[in-house]
Amino acid sequence: MDRILERAGSSLLERRMFAKFHGLRDSPTLAPDESMEELLVGAGHDALGGRGADVILYGHTQSVQDFACGPGFAQRLRDGLGLPDAGFYGVSQINCVSVLRALEMARRYHSRPAARPGERVLVLGGDHGSVADAARIVPRVTVAGDAAVAVVVHSSDGMDIPRYRHLSGGALRDGRFHRSLRMTTKELTLFSQSCVGHLATALRKAADGAGIGFPDIDWIMPDLSSALFWRNFCRETGVQQERICLDLLPERGHNNGVDALSALQHADMTGRLRPGDRVALVALGPGAYFQVVIVEVTPEPS
């Protein structure tokens, strides 16, 4: 991560601040012979588990990515996933909340009047941030890396055994910060000061929708942009820092919209989650966009 900042012209002092206060150490980047398109296909195959999907939603933060600029990207991805006839839609222009917003859109797809039992939606997420170092850096906040995730959202039909049950979602936007990364220094400062309150509001909205209280959320799978932000969040809201899964922050840092799902997988694989746990997936980004999805951990199949 230090080399990324150095190439972008950051001073030694600024680079040390990123490490000391934001807790950012490493950032995954694709090698010259690696392709984000291949990462997306690989993640999608793992999530599909040998079965199909009716719709593919691809959430991404970067509006322009080199692998998608040429013609045929959507069909190449469909063919690579073995889903040549699936509907394919991009979810973007909402920065780092795009992947969690795609999860909510998948839920809406299943609740539409014409929905059929057994339909499956494949949600993909990921950005090739290293196309340009400048596109990876949110000034004074974080550095983004390269990563891909995939998850299947399905209705209950007896064939799919869900690991997580969707309970509710909550979203918020503050239009004062619509200039996004083009905000002035004064606007950036106000944005930073507003984020904790806005996220707490979105979390409470989601908790209300799930019929639970804010204290009933067992875990928060966070946006991994900054340890400093989460220290401030815990101090101002009273949430215990042990409930926020920041394990991946030093070694992976911020990877645009995939952070919360990456943290969820890591927490599950390391045995931190128990059946019945209520887990809040969280994303926020310049714009200012905030998204929360609350899921409940179900028992693993015997």
Side-chain angles (χ1 to χ4, degrees):
M1 183 170 296
D2 188 74
R3 290 194 296 271
I4 295 168
L5 290 165
E6 185 177 15
R7 289 197 302 266
S10 296
S11 67
L12 178 61
L13 176 61
E14 184 179 11
R15 302 199 306 269
R16 287 176 175 172
M17 292 283 284
F18 268 96
K20 181 175 181 179
F21 292 104
H22 297 294
L24 300 168
R25 186 186 67 212
D26 297 324
S27 182
T29 57
L30 290 171
D33 61 341
E34 291 180 309
S35 161
M36 175 57 69
E37 194 170 321
E38 292 175 355
L39 284 187
L40 290 169
V41 170
H45 273 298
D46 289 344
L48 288 168
R51 296 183 60 195
D54 304 278
V55 174
I56 304 167
L57 299 178
Y58 170 39
H60 55 97
T61 297
Q62 302 288 345
S63 298
V64 178
Q65 302 186 74
D66 63 344
F67 61 89
C69 287
F73 165 67
Q75 193 59 50
R76 289 197 310 274
L77 214 59
R78 280 191 289 245
D79 291 342
L81 291 165
L83 303 172
D85 300 319
F88 187 100
Y89 303 93
V91 182
S92 63
Q93 304 297 325
I94 48 177
N95 292 322
C96 296
V97 311
S98 59
V99 180
L100 294 189
R101 185 67 58 82
L103 286 181
E104 290 293 270
M105 293 172 70
R107 292 294 304 174
R108 294 179 189 177
Y109 179 80
H110 288 306
S111 63
R112 76 194 193 283
R116 302 184 307 274
E119 290 180 319
R120 288 156 54 94
V121 178
L122 175 65
V123 174
L124 298 174
D127 288 86
H128 189 180
S130 58
V131 171
D133 286 334
R136 296 163 59 101
I137 300 171
V138 180
R140 300 162 51 193
V141 177
T142 195
V143 176
D146 306 331
V149 298
V151 61
V152 172
V153 181
H154 57 82
S155 56
S156 178
D157 66 347
M159 295 182 64
D160 279 305
I161 301 175
R163 178 55 177 157
Y164 312 104
R165 183 170 69 92
H166 179 277
L167 298 182
S168 69
L172 184 150
R173 189 195 178 196
D174 188 336
R176 292 179 297 169
F177 307 111
H178 65 92
R179 289 167 54 86
S180 191
L181 297 183
R182 296 184 297 277
M183 288 187 288
T184 64
T185 301
K186 182 178 180 180
E187 288 170 333
L188 277 169
T189 300
L190 182 58
F191 169 66
S192 298
Q193 294 170 346
S194 304
C195 280
V196 167
H198 284 338
L199 181 56
T201 298
L203 273 164
R204 290 190 177 93
K205 179 180 178 180
D208 289 344
I212 61 177
F214 190 69
D216 297 322
I217 298 173
D218 297 291
W219 300 101
I220 294 176
M221 300 300 161
D223 171 283
L224 294 171
S225 57
S226 169
L228 176 62
F229 171 80
W230 290 106
R231 286 195 295 269
N232 292 338
F233 179 85
C234 292
R235 185 181 67 250
E236 295 183 30
T237 63
V239 172
Q240 295 176 331
Q241 193 156 344
E242 294 76 18
R243 294 167 59 192
I244 302 176
C245 296
L246 292 170
D247 304 23
L248 294 179
L249 191 146
E251 62 185 74
R252 291 195 194 174
H254 180 52
N255 292 279
N256 295 301
V258 314
D259 288 354
L261 287 172
S262 297
L264 177 67
Q265 181 190 45
H266 177 77
D268 210 347
M269 292 179 63
T270 54
R272 299 181 73 175
L273 305 184
R274 297 290 181 268
D277 281 355
R278 280 81 171 261
V279 182
L281 311 177
V282 169
L284 62 149
Y289 298 93
F290 302 82
Q291 183 74 52
V292 177
V293 176
I294 297 182
V295 299
E296 183 178 63
V297 181
T298 63
E300 292 190 75
S302 57

